[in-house]
Coordinates of all heavy atoms in Angstrom, one line a residue:
M1 N -11.0 -19.4 4.8 CA -9.7 -18.8 5.1 C -9.9 -17.8 6.2 O -10.8 -17.0 6.3 CB -9.2 -18.0 3.8 CG -7.8 -17.4 4.0 SD -7.2 -16.5 2.6 CE -6.7 -17.8 1.5
T2 N -9.0 -17.9 7.2 CA -9.1 -17.1 8.4 C -8.7 -15.6 8.0 O -8.0 -15.4 7.0 CB -8.3 -17.6 9.5 OG1 -6.9 -17.5 9.2 CG2 -8.6 -19.0 9.9
R3 N -9.1 -14.7 8.9 CA -8.7 -13.3 8.7 C -7.2 -13.1 8.7 O -6.7 -12.3 7.9 CB -9.4 -12.5 9.7 CG -10.9 -12.3 9.6 CD -11.5 -11.6 10.7 NE -10.9 -10.3 10.9 CZ -11.6 -9.1 10.6 NH1 -12.8 -9.2 10.1 NH2 -11.0 -8.0 10.8
L4 N -6.5 -13.8 9.5 CA -5.0 -13.7 9.6 C -4.4 -14.2 8.3 O -3.5 -13.6 7.8 CB -4.5 -14.4 10.8 CG -3.0 -14.4 11.0 CD1 -2.5 -12.9 11.2 CD2 -2.6 -15.2 12.2
A5 N -4.8 -15.3 7.8 CA -4.3 -15.9 6.6 C -4.6 -15.0 5.4 O -3.7 -14.7 4.6 CB -4.9 -17.2 6.3
L6 N -5.8 -14.4 5.4 CA -6.1 -13.5 4.3 C -5.3 -12.2 4.4 O -4.7 -11.7 3.4 CB -7.6 -13.1 4.5 CG -8.1 -12.0 3.5 CD1 -8.0 -12.6 2.1 CD2 -9.5 -11.6 3.8
A7 N -5.0 -11.7 5.6 CA -4.2 -10.5 5.8 C -2.8 -10.8 5.4 O -2.1 -10.0 4.7 CB -4.3 -10.1 7.3
L8 N -2.2 -11.9 5.7 CA -0.8 -12.3 5.3 C -0.7 -12.4 3.8 O 0.2 -12.0 3.2 CB -0.4 -13.5 6.0 CG -0.1 -13.4 7.5 CD1 0.2 -14.7 8.2 CD2 1.0 -12.4 7.8
A9 N -1.7 -13.1 3.2 CA -1.7 -13.2 1.8 C -1.8 -11.9 1.1 O -1.1 -11.7 0.1 CB -2.9 -14.1 1.3
L10 N -2.6 -11.0 1.6 CA -2.7 -9.6 1.0 C -1.4 -8.8 1.2 O -1.1 -8.0 0.4 CB -3.9 -8.9 1.4 CG -5.2 -9.5 0.9 CD1 -6.4 -8.9 1.5 CD2 -5.3 -9.3 -0.6
L11 N -0.8 -9.0 2.3 CA 0.5 -8.4 2.6 C 1.5 -8.8 1.6 O 2.3 -7.9 1.0 CB 1.0 -8.7 4.0 CG 2.2 -7.9 4.5 CD1 1.9 -6.5 4.9 CD2 2.8 -8.7 5.7
V12 N 1.6 -10.1 1.3 CA 2.5 -10.6 0.3 C 2.1 -10.1 -1.1 O 3.0 -9.7 -1.9 CB 2.6 -12.1 0.4 CG1 3.4 -12.7 -0.8 CG2 3.2 -12.5 1.7
A13 N 0.8 -10.1 -1.4 CA 0.3 -9.6 -2.7 C 0.7 -8.1 -2.9 O 1.1 -7.7 -4.0 CB -1.1 -9.8 -2.8
G14 N 0.6 -7.4 -1.8 CA 0.9 -5.9 -1.9 C 2.4 -5.7 -2.2 O 2.8 -4.9 -3.1
A15 N 3.2 -6.6 -1.5 CA 4.7 -6.5 -1.8 C 5.0 -6.9 -3.2 O 5.9 -6.4 -3.9 CB 5.4 -7.3 -0.8
A16 N 4.3 -7.9 -3.7 CA 4.5 -8.4 -5.1 C 4.2 -7.4 -6.1 O 4.9 -7.2 -7.1 CB 3.8 -9.7 -5.3
I17 N 3.0 -6.7 -5.9 CA 2.6 -5.7 -6.9 C 3.6 -4.5 -6.8 O 3.9 -3.9 -7.8 CB 1.2 -5.3 -6.7 CG1 0.3 -6.5 -7.1 CG2 0.8 -4.0 -7.4 CD1 -1.2 -6.3 -6.8
G18 N 4.0 -4.2 -5.6 CA 5.0 -3.1 -5.4 C 6.3 -3.4 -6.1 O 6.9 -2.6 -6.7
L19 N 6.7 -4.7 -6.0 CA 8.0 -5.1 -6.6 C 7.9 -5.0 -8.2 O 8.8 -4.4 -8.8 CB 8.4 -6.5 -6.3 CG 9.7 -7.0 -6.8 CD1 10.9 -6.2 -6.3 CD2 9.8 -8.5 -6.4
A20 N 6.8 -5.4 -8.7 CA 6.5 -5.3 -10.1 C 6.5 -3.8 -10.5 O 7.1 -3.5 -11.6 CB 5.2 -5.9 -10.5
A21 N 5.9 -2.9 -9.8 CA 5.8 -1.5 -10.1 C 7.2 -0.9 -10.0 O 7.7 -0.1 -10.7 CB 4.9 -0.8 -9.2
L22 N 8.0 -1.4 -9.0 CA 9.3 -0.8 -8.8 C 10.3 -1.2 -9.9 O 11.1 -0.4 -10.3 CB 9.9 -1.4 -7.4 CG 11.3 -1.0 -7.1 CD1 11.4 0.4 -6.7 CD2 11.8 -1.9 -5.9
V23 N 10.1 -2.4 -10.4 CA 11.0 -2.9 -11.5 C 10.8 -2.0 -12.8 O 11.8 -1.7 -13.5 CB 10.8 -4.4 -11.8 CG1 11.5 -4.8 -13.0 CG2 11.3 -5.2 -10.6
V24 N 9.5 -1.7 -13.1 CA 9.3 -1.0 -14.4 C 9.0 0.5 -14.2 O 8.7 1.1 -15.2 CB 8.1 -1.7 -15.1 CG1 8.4 -3.1 -15.4 CG2 6.8 -1.6 -14.3
H25 N 9.1 1.1 -13.0 CA 8.8 2.5 -12.9 C 9.6 3.4 -13.7 O 9.3 4.6 -13.9 CB 8.7 2.8 -11.4 CG 10.0 3.3 -10.8 ND1 10.9 2.4 -10.4 CD2 10.5 4.5 -10.6 CE1 12.0 3.1 -9.9 NE2 11.7 4.3 -10.0
A26 N 10.8 3.0 -14.0 CA 11.8 4.0 -14.7 C 11.5 4.1 -16.2 O 11.9 5.0 -16.8 CB 13.2 3.5 -14.5
T27 N 10.6 3.2 -16.7 CA 10.3 3.3 -18.1 C 9.1 4.3 -18.3 O 8.5 4.6 -17.4 CB 9.9 1.9 -18.7 OG1 8.7 1.5 -18.0 CG2 11.0 0.9 -18.5
A28 N 8.9 4.7 -19.6 CA 7.8 5.7 -19.8 C 6.5 5.1 -19.5 O 5.6 5.8 -19.0 CB 7.9 6.1 -21.3
W29 N 6.2 3.8 -19.7 CA 5.0 3.2 -19.5 C 4.8 2.5 -18.2 O 3.8 2.2 -17.7 CB 4.7 2.2 -20.6 CG 5.8 1.2 -20.7 CD1 6.8 1.3 -21.6 CD2 5.9 0.0 -20.1 NE1 7.7 0.2 -21.5 CE2 7.1 -0.6 -20.5 CE3 5.2 -0.7 -19.1 CZ2 7.6 -1.8 -20.0 CZ3 5.6 -1.9 -18.6 CH2 6.8 -2.5 -19.0
G30 N 6.0 2.4 -17.5 CA 6.0 1.6 -16.2 C 5.3 2.2 -15.0 O 4.6 1.6 -14.3
L31 N 5.6 3.5 -14.9 CA 5.0 4.2 -13.7 C 3.4 4.3 -13.8 O 2.8 4.0 -12.9 CB 5.6 5.6 -13.5 CG 5.1 6.4 -12.3 CD1 5.3 5.6 -11.0 CD2 5.7 7.7 -12.3
P32 N 2.9 4.7 -15.0 CA 1.4 4.7 -15.1 C 0.8 3.3 -14.9 O -0.2 3.2 -14.3 CB 1.1 5.3 -16.4 CG 2.4 6.0 -16.9 CD 3.5 5.3 -16.2
L33 N 1.5 2.3 -15.5 CA 0.9 0.9 -15.4 C 1.0 0.5 -13.9 O 0.0 -0.1 -13.4 CB 1.7 0.0 -16.3 CG 1.3 -1.5 -16.3 CD1 -0.1 -1.6 -16.9 CD2 2.2 -2.3 -17.1
G34 N 2.1 0.7 -13.3 CA 2.2 0.3 -11.8 C 1.3 1.0 -10.9 O 0.7 0.4 -10.0
A35 N 1.1 2.3 -11.2 CA 0.1 3.1 -10.4 C -1.3 2.6 -10.6 O -2.1 2.5 -9.7 CB 0.2 4.6 -10.7
A36 N -1.6 2.3 -11.9 CA -3.0 1.8 -12.2 C -3.2 0.5 -11.6 O -4.3 0.2 -11.0 CB -3.2 1.8 -13.7
A37 N -2.2 -0.4 -11.6 CA -2.4 -1.7 -11.0 C -2.5 -1.6 -9.5 O -3.4 -2.3 -8.9 CB -1.2 -2.6 -11.4
A38 N -1.7 -0.8 -8.8 CA -1.8 -0.7 -7.4 C -3.1 -0.1 -6.9 O -3.8 -0.6 -6.0 CB -0.7 0.2 -6.9
V39 N -3.6 0.9 -7.6 CA -4.9 1.5 -7.2 C -6.1 0.6 -7.6 O -7.0 0.5 -6.9 CB -5.0 2.9 -7.9 CG1 -6.4 3.5 -7.7 CG2 -4.0 3.9 -7.3
A40 N -6.0 -0.1 -8.7 CA -7.1 -1.0 -9.1 C -7.3 -2.1 -8.2 O -8.4 -2.5 -7.8 CB -6.8 -1.6 -10.5
V41 N -6.2 -2.7 -7.7 CA -6.3 -3.8 -6.6 C -6.9 -3.2 -5.4 O -7.7 -3.8 -4.7 CB -4.9 -4.4 -6.4 CG1 -5.0 -5.4 -5.2 CG2 -4.5 -5.2 -7.6
L42 N -6.4 -2.0 -5.0 CA -7.0 -1.4 -3.8 C -8.5 -1.2 -3.9 O -9.3 -1.5 -2.9 CB -6.3 -0.1 -3.5 CG -6.8 0.7 -2.2 CD1 -6.3 -0.1 -1.0 CD2 -6.3 2.1 -2.2
V43 N -8.9 -0.7 -5.0 CA -10.4 -0.4 -5.2 C -11.1 -1.8 -5.3 O -12.3 -1.9 -4.8 CB -10.6 0.4 -6.5 CG1 -12.1 0.5 -6.8 CG2 -10.0 1.8 -6.3
A44 N -10.5 -2.8 -5.8 CA -11.2 -4.1 -6.0 C -11.4 -4.8 -4.7 O -12.3 -5.6 -4.5 CB -10.5 -5.0 -7.0
L45 N -10.5 -4.6 -3.7 CA -10.6 -5.2 -2.4 C -11.7 -4.6 -1.6 O -11.9 -3.4 -1.6 CB -9.3 -5.1 -1.7 CG -8.1 -5.9 -2.2 CD1 -6.8 -5.5 -1.4 CD2 -8.4 -7.4 -2.0
P46 N -12.4 -5.4 -0.8 CA -13.5 -4.8 0.1 C -12.8 -4.0 1.2 O -11.7 -4.4 1.7 CB -14.2 -6.0 0.6 CG -13.3 -7.2 0.5 CD -12.4 -6.9 -0.7
P47 N -13.4 -2.9 1.7 CA -12.8 -2.2 2.8 C -12.7 -3.0 4.0 O -13.6 -3.8 4.3 CB -13.8 -1.0 3.0 CG -14.8 -1.0 1.9 CD -14.6 -2.4 1.2
G48 N -11.6 -2.8 4.7 CA -11.5 -3.6 6.0 C -10.1 -3.6 6.5 O -9.1 -3.4 5.7
V49 N -10.0 -3.9 7.8 CA -8.6 -4.0 8.4 C -7.9 -5.2 7.9 O -6.7 -5.2 7.8 CB -8.8 -4.0 10.0 CG1 -7.4 -4.2 10.6 CG2 -9.4 -2.7 10.4
A50 N -8.6 -6.3 7.5 CA -7.9 -7.5 7.1 C -7.8 -7.6 5.6 O -7.2 -8.6 5.0 CB -8.7 -8.7 7.6
T51 N -8.2 -6.6 4.9 CA -8.1 -6.6 3.4 C -7.3 -5.5 2.8 O -6.2 -5.7 2.4 CB -9.5 -6.6 2.8 OG1 -10.3 -5.5 3.3 CG2 -10.3 -7.9 3.1
R52 N -7.8 -4.3 2.8 CA -7.1 -3.2 2.2 C -5.9 -2.8 2.9 O -4.9 -2.4 2.3 CB -8.1 -2.0 2.0 CG -9.0 -2.2 0.9 CD -9.8 -0.9 0.7 NE -10.8 -1.1 -0.4 CZ -11.7 -0.2 -0.8 NH1 -11.7 1.0 -0.2 NH2 -12.5 -0.5 -1.7
L53 N -5.9 -2.7 4.2 CA -4.8 -2.3 5.0 C -3.6 -3.1 4.9 O -2.5 -2.6 4.6 CB -5.2 -2.1 6.5 CG -4.4 -1.2 7.3 CD1 -4.3 0.2 6.8 CD2 -5.0 -1.1 8.7
P54 N -3.6 -4.5 5.0 CA -2.4 -5.3 4.8 C -1.9 -5.1 3.3 O -0.6 -5.1 3.2 CB -2.9 -6.7 5.0 CG -4.1 -6.6 5.8 CD -4.7 -5.3 5.4
Y55 N -2.7 -5.0 2.4 CA -2.3 -4.8 1.0 C -1.5 -3.5 0.9 O -0.4 -3.5 0.3 CB -3.5 -4.8 0.0 CG -3.1 -4.3 -1.3 CD1 -2.4 -5.0 -2.2 CD2 -3.5 -3.0 -1.7 CE1 -2.0 -4.5 -3.5 CE2 -3.2 -2.5 -2.9 CZ -2.4 -3.2 -3.8 OH -2.1 -2.7 -5.0
A56 N -2.1 -2.5 1.5 CA -1.4 -1.1 1.4 C -0.1 -1.2 2.2 O 0.9 -0.6 1.8 CB -2.3 -0.1 1.9
L57 N 0.0 -1.8 3.3 CA 1.2 -1.9 4.1 C 2.3 -2.7 3.4 O 3.4 -2.4 3.5 CB 0.9 -2.5 5.5 CG 0.1 -1.6 6.4 CD1 -0.2 -2.4 7.7 CD2 0.9 -0.3 6.7
G58 N 1.9 -3.8 2.7 CA 2.9 -4.5 1.9 C 3.5 -3.7 0.8 O 4.7 -3.7 0.6
L59 N 2.6 -3.0 0.1 CA 3.1 -2.2 -1.1 C 4.0 -1.0 -0.5 O 5.1 -0.8 -1.0 CB 1.9 -1.6 -1.8 CG 2.2 -0.8 -3.0 CD1 1.9 -1.6 -4.3 CD2 1.4 0.5 -3.1
T60 N 3.4 -0.3 0.4 CA 4.2 0.8 1.0 C 5.5 0.4 1.7 O 6.5 1.1 1.5 CB 3.3 1.6 2.0 OG1 2.1 2.0 1.3 CG2 4.0 2.9 2.5
G61 N 5.5 -0.7 2.4 CA 6.7 -1.2 3.0 C 7.8 -1.5 2.1 O 8.9 -1.2 2.3
L62 N 7.4 -2.1 1.0 CA 8.4 -2.5 -0.1 C 9.0 -1.2 -0.7 O 10.2 -1.1 -0.9 CB 7.8 -3.3 -1.2 CG 8.8 -3.7 -2.2 CD1 9.4 -5.1 -1.9 CD2 8.3 -3.6 -3.6
F63 N 8.1 -0.2 -0.9 CA 8.6 1.1 -1.5 C 9.5 1.8 -0.5 O 10.6 2.4 -0.9 CB 7.5 2.0 -1.9 CG 6.7 1.5 -3.2 CD1 5.5 2.1 -3.5 CD2 7.3 0.6 -4.0 CE1 4.8 1.7 -4.6 CE2 6.6 0.2 -5.1 CZ 5.4 0.7 -5.5
V64 N 9.2 1.8 0.7 CA 10.0 2.5 1.8 C 11.3 1.7 1.9 O 12.4 2.4 2.0 CB 9.3 2.5 3.1 CG1 10.2 2.9 4.2 CG2 8.1 3.5 3.0
Y65 N 11.3 0.4 1.9 CA 12.6 -0.4 1.9 C 13.5 -0.1 0.7 O 14.7 0.0 0.8 CB 12.3 -1.8 2.0 CG 13.5 -2.7 2.1 CD1 14.3 -2.8 3.2 CD2 13.9 -3.4 0.9 CE1 15.4 -3.6 3.3 CE2 15.0 -4.2 1.0 CZ 15.8 -4.3 2.1 OH 16.9 -5.1 2.2
A66 N 12.8 0.0 -0.5 CA 13.6 0.3 -1.7 C 14.1 1.7 -1.8 O 15.1 2.0 -2.5 CB 12.7 0.0 -2.9
A67 N 13.5 2.6 -1.1 CA 13.9 4.0 -1.1 C 15.1 4.3 -0.3 O 15.8 5.4 -0.4 CB 12.8 4.9 -0.8
R68 N 15.5 3.4 0.6 CA 16.7 3.6 1.5 C 18.0 3.4 0.7 O 18.0 2.7 -0.4 CB 16.7 2.6 2.6 CG 15.5 2.7 3.5 CD 15.5 1.8 4.6 NE 16.2 0.5 4.4 CZ 16.6 -0.3 5.3 NH1 16.4 -0.1 6.5 NH2 17.3 -1.4 4.9
A69 N 19.0 3.9 1.2 CA 20.3 3.8 0.5 C 20.8 2.4 0.6 O 20.7 1.8 1.6 CB 21.3 4.8 1.1
R70 N 21.4 1.9 -0.5 CA 22.0 0.6 -0.5 C 23.4 0.7 0.0 O 24.0 1.7 0.0 CB 21.9 0.0 -1.9 CG 20.4 -0.2 -2.3 CD 20.3 -0.7 -3.7 NE 21.3 -1.7 -4.0 CZ 21.4 -2.3 -5.2 NH1 20.6 -1.9 -6.2 NH2 22.3 -3.2 -5.5
P71 N 24.1 -0.5 0.4 CA 25.4 -0.4 0.8 C 26.4 0.1 -0.2 O 27.4 0.7 0.2 CB 25.7 -1.9 1.2 CG 24.4 -2.6 1.3 CD 23.4 -1.8 0.5
E72 N 26.1 0.0 -1.5 CA 26.9 0.5 -2.5 C 26.9 2.0 -2.6 O 27.7 2.6 -3.3 CB 26.6 -0.1 -3.9 CG 26.7 -1.6 -3.9 CD 25.5 -2.3 -3.5 OE1 24.4 -1.7 -3.6 OE2 25.6 -3.5 -3.0
G73 N 25.9 2.6 -2.0 CA 25.7 4.1 -2.0 C 24.7 4.5 -3.1 O 24.5 5.7 -3.1
D74 N 24.1 3.6 -3.8 CA 23.1 4.0 -4.7 C 21.7 3.7 -4.2 O 21.5 3.2 -3.1 CB 23.3 3.4 -6.1 CG 23.4 1.9 -6.1 OD1 23.5 1.3 -5.0 OD2 23.4 1.2 -7.1
Y75 N 20.7 4.0 -5.0 CA 19.3 3.9 -4.6 C 18.5 3.1 -5.7 O 18.9 3.2 -6.9 CB 18.6 5.2 -4.5 CG 19.2 6.1 -3.3 CD1 20.3 6.9 -3.6 CD2 18.7 6.0 -2.1 CE1 20.8 7.7 -2.5 CE2 19.2 6.7 -1.1 CZ 20.2 7.6 -1.3 OH 20.7 8.3 -0.2
L76 N 17.5 2.4 -5.3 CA 16.6 1.7 -6.3 C 15.6 2.6 -6.8 O 15.1 2.5 -7.9 CB 15.9 0.5 -5.6 CG 16.8 -0.7 -5.3 CD1 16.0 -1.8 -4.6 CD2 17.4 -1.3 -6.6
V77 N 15.2 3.6 -6.0 CA 14.2 4.6 -6.4 C 15.0 5.9 -6.5 O 15.5 6.5 -5.5 CB 13.1 4.8 -5.3 CG1 12.1 5.8 -5.7 CG2 12.4 3.4 -5.2
G78 N 15.1 6.4 -7.7 CA 15.9 7.6 -7.9 C 15.2 8.9 -7.5 O 14.0 8.9 -7.3
A79 N 16.0 9.9 -7.3 CA 15.4 11.3 -6.9 C 15.1 12.0 -8.2 O 15.6 13.1 -8.4 CB 16.5 12.0 -6.1
D80 N 14.2 11.5 -8.9 CA 13.7 12.1 -10.2 C 12.2 12.1 -10.1 O 11.6 11.5 -9.2 CB 14.2 11.4 -11.4 CG 13.9 9.9 -11.5 OD1 13.3 9.4 -10.5 OD2 14.2 9.3 -12.5
P81 N 11.5 12.7 -11.1 CA 10.1 12.7 -11.0 C 9.4 11.3 -11.0 O 8.4 11.1 -10.4 CB 9.7 13.5 -12.3 CG 10.8 14.3 -12.6 CD 12.0 13.6 -12.1
R82 N 10.0 10.3 -11.7 CA 9.5 9.0 -11.6 C 9.6 8.4 -10.3 O 8.7 7.7 -9.9 CB 10.1 8.1 -12.7 CG 9.7 8.6 -14.1 CD 10.2 7.7 -15.2 NE 9.8 8.2 -16.5 CZ 10.5 8.0 -17.6 NH1 11.7 7.4 -17.5 NH2 10.1 8.5 -18.7
G83 N 10.7 8.6 -9.6 CA 10.9 8.0 -8.3 C 9.9 8.7 -7.3 O 9.3 8.0 -6.5
Y84 N 9.8 10.0 -7.4 CA 8.8 10.7 -6.5 C 7.4 10.3 -6.8 O 6.6 10.2 -5.9 CB 9.0 12.2 -6.6 CG 10.3 12.6 -6.0 CD1 11.2 13.5 -6.7 CD2 10.6 12.3 -4.6 CE1 12.4 13.9 -6.1 CE2 11.8 12.8 -4.0 CZ 12.6 13.6 -4.8 OH 13.8 14.0 -4.2
G85 N 7.1 10.0 -8.1 CA 5.8 9.5 -8.5 C 5.5 8.2 -7.9 O 4.4 7.9 -7.4
L86 N 6.5 7.3 -7.8 CA 6.3 6.0 -7.2 C 6.0 6.1 -5.8 O 5.1 5.4 -5.2 CB 7.6 5.1 -7.5 CG 7.5 3.7 -7.1 CD1 6.5 2.9 -8.0 CD2 8.9 3.1 -7.1
L87 N 6.7 7.0 -5.1 CA 6.5 7.2 -3.7 C 5.1 7.8 -3.4 O 4.5 7.5 -2.4 CB 7.6 8.0 -3.0 CG 9.0 7.3 -3.0 CD1 10.1 8.2 -2.5 CD2 9.0 6.0 -2.3
L88 N 4.7 8.7 -4.3 CA 3.4 9.3 -4.2 C 2.3 8.2 -4.4 O 1.3 8.3 -3.7 CB 3.2 10.4 -5.3 CG 1.9 11.1 -5.3 CD1 1.7 11.9 -4.0 CD2 1.8 12.0 -6.5
V89 N 2.5 7.3 -5.2 CA 1.6 6.2 -5.4 C 1.4 5.4 -4.1 O 0.3 5.1 -3.6 CB 2.0 5.2 -6.5 CG1 1.2 3.9 -6.5 CG2 1.9 5.9 -7.9
A90 N 2.5 5.2 -3.4 CA 2.5 4.5 -2.1 C 1.7 5.3 -1.1 O 0.9 4.7 -0.3 CB 4.0 4.2 -1.6
V91 N 1.9 6.6 -1.0 CA 1.2 7.4 -0.1 C -0.3 7.4 -0.4 O -1.2 7.3 0.5 CB 1.7 8.9 -0.1 CG1 0.8 9.8 0.7 CG2 3.1 8.9 0.5
V92 N -0.7 7.5 -1.7 CA -2.1 7.5 -2.1 C -2.7 6.2 -1.7 O -3.9 6.1 -1.2 CB -2.2 7.8 -3.6 CG1 -3.6 7.4 -4.1 CG2 -1.8 9.2 -3.9
V93 N -2.1 5.1 -2.0 CA -2.6 3.8 -1.6 C -2.8 3.6 -0.1 O -3.8 3.1 0.4 CB -1.8 2.6 -2.2 CG1 -2.1 1.2 -1.7 CG2 -1.9 2.6 -3.7
L94 N -1.8 4.0 0.6 CA -1.8 3.9 2.1 C -3.0 4.8 2.7 O -3.7 4.3 3.5 CB -0.5 4.2 2.7 CG -0.4 4.0 4.2 CD1 -0.6 2.5 4.6 CD2 0.9 4.5 4.8
V95 N -3.0 6.0 2.2 CA -4.1 6.9 2.7 C -5.5 6.4 2.3 O -6.4 6.4 3.1 CB -3.9 8.3 2.3 CG1 -5.1 9.2 2.5 CG2 -2.6 8.9 2.9
G96 N -5.6 5.9 1.1 CA -6.8 5.3 0.6 C -7.3 4.2 1.4 O -8.5 4.0 1.7
A97 N -6.4 3.3 1.8 CA -6.7 2.2 2.6 C -7.1 2.5 4.0 O -8.1 2.0 4.6 CB -5.5 1.2 2.7
V98 N -6.4 3.5 4.6 CA -6.7 3.9 6.0 C -8.1 4.6 6.1 O -8.9 4.4 6.9 CB -5.6 4.8 6.6 CG1 -6.0 5.5 7.9 CG2 -4.3 4.0 6.8
V99 N -8.3 5.5 5.1 CA -9.5 6.2 5.1 C -10.8 5.3 4.8 O -11.9 5.6 5.3 CB -9.5 7.3 4.0 CG1 -10.8 8.0 3.7 CG2 -8.5 8.4 4.4
S100 N -10.6 4.3 4.1 CA -11.7 3.4 3.8 C -12.0 2.3 4.8 O -13.0 1.5 4.7 CB -11.5 2.7 2.4 OG -10.4 1.8 2.5
V101 N -11.2 2.3 5.9 CA -11.5 1.3 6.9 C -12.8 1.6 7.6 O -13.0 2.8 8.1 CB -10.4 1.2 8.0 CG1 -10.8 0.4 9.2 CG2 -9.1 0.7 7.3
P102 N -13.8 0.8 7.6 CA -15.1 1.1 8.2 C -14.9 1.3 9.7 O -14.2 0.5 10.4 CB -16.0 0.0 7.9 CG -15.1 -1.2 7.5 CD -13.8 -0.6 7.1
H103 N -15.5 2.2 10.3 CA -15.5 2.4 11.8 C -16.7 1.8 12.4 O -17.8 1.8 11.8 CB -15.3 3.9 12.1 CG -16.5 4.8 11.7 ND1 -16.5 5.2 10.4 CD2 -17.5 5.2 12.4 CE1 -17.6 5.9 10.3 NE2 -18.2 6.0 11.5
R104 N -16.6 1.4 13.6 CA -17.7 0.8 14.3 C -18.4 1.9 15.1 O -17.7 2.7 15.7 CB -17.2 -0.3 15.2 CG -16.6 -1.5 14.5 CD -16.2 -2.6 15.4 NE -15.6 -3.6 14.7 CZ -15.3 -4.8 15.2 NH1 -15.5 -5.0 16.5 NH2 -14.7 -5.7 14.5
R105 N -19.7 1.8 15.1 CA -20.5 2.7 15.9 C -21.0 1.9 17.1 O -21.6 0.9 17.0 CB -21.6 3.3 15.1 CG -21.1 4.1 13.9 CD -22.3 4.6 13.2 NE -21.8 5.3 12.0 CZ -22.1 6.5 11.6 NH1 -23.0 7.1 12.2 NH2 -21.6 7.0 10.5
F106 N -20.8 2.5 18.2 CA -21.2 1.9 19.5 C -22.5 2.7 20.0 O -22.4 3.9 20.0 CB -20.1 1.9 20.5 CG -19.0 1.0 20.2 CD1 -17.8 1.6 19.8 CD2 -19.1 -0.4 20.3 CE1 -16.7 0.8 19.4 CE2 -18.0 -1.2 20.0 CZ -16.8 -0.6 19.5
N107 N -23.4 1.9 20.3 CA -24.6 2.6 20.9 C -24.4 2.8 22.4 O -24.2 1.8 23.1 CB -25.9 1.7 20.6 CG -26.2 1.7 19.2 OD1 -25.9 2.6 18.4 ND2 -26.8 0.5 18.8
A108 N -24.5 4.1 22.8 CA -24.3 4.3 24.2 C -25.6 4.1 24.9 O -26.7 4.5 24.4 CB -23.9 5.8 24.4
V109 N -25.5 3.4 26.0 CA -26.7 3.1 26.8 C -26.9 4.2 27.8 O -26.0 4.5 28.6 CB -26.6 1.7 27.5 CG1 -27.8 1.4 28.3 CG2 -26.4 0.6 26.4
D110 N -28.1 4.8 27.8 CA -28.4 5.9 28.7 C -28.8 5.2 30.0 O -29.9 4.6 30.1 CB -29.4 6.8 28.1 CG -29.6 8.0 29.0 OD1 -28.8 8.2 29.9 OD2 -30.6 8.7 28.8
N111 N -28.1 5.4 31.1 CA -28.4 4.8 32.3 C -29.1 5.8 33.2 O -29.2 5.7 34.4 CB -27.2 4.2 33.1 CG -26.7 3.0 32.4 OD1 -27.5 2.3 31.8 ND2 -25.4 2.7 32.5
G112 N -29.5 7.0 32.6 CA -30.1 8.0 33.5 C -29.1 8.8 34.2 O -29.4 9.5 35.1
L113 N -27.8 8.8 33.8 CA -26.8 9.6 34.5 C -26.6 10.9 33.9 O -26.6 11.2 32.8 CB -25.5 8.8 34.6 CG -25.6 7.5 35.4 CD1 -24.2 6.8 35.3 CD2 -26.0 7.7 36.8

């Protein structure tokens, strides 16, 4: 599987897990379960630009889209502690993905300058 196909699959998987968490976040057990699932998948994926980052972008993108006002004037994510908790999960997953991206170290060649 190429890196692009893997990234697209993980973007869709992140959106799917985000949708599942969004649907059940208003129940007493839904927010902890959704948060645990989102973080568990993030930890299970290997660090990288083609793995954790697309997953986190899919999850966060879905939450940001759901937090916007709908044409009817209501919201899918309420302005209550559970809604803010859901958005906090998105921030934690996104920051965790960005921080865990391995950086490349370049060896500087000393040309005597």
Side-chain angles (χ1 to χ4, degrees):
M1 183 180 279
T2 66
R3 290 175 56 108
L4 180 62
L6 177 65
L8 288 175
L10 287 171
L11 186 76
V12 172
I17 291 174
L19 182 63
L22 177 68
V23 169
V24 297
H25 86 279
T27 62
W29 53 269
L31 182 60
L33 182 65
V39 172
V41 171
L42 181 72
V43 171
L45 289 171
V49 176
T51 53
R52 285 187 182 176
L53 201 56
Y55 165 74
L57 288 175
L59 183 104
T60 305
L62 183 96
F63 286 166
V64 168
Y65 179 75
R68 299 182 333 165
R70 294 177 41 186
E72 300 87 26
D74 56 348
Y75 295 89
L76 289 175
V77 179
D80 58 355
R82 290 183 181 149
Y84 289 126
L86 187 68
L87 295 177
L88 180 65
V89 168
V91 170
V92 166
V93 168
L94 186 62
V95 168
V98 169
V99 168
S100 69
V101 171
H103 61 281
R104 295 183 183 188
R105 296 180 188 227
F106 294 104
N107 293 330
V109 176
D110 186 14
N111 291 332
L113 298 176

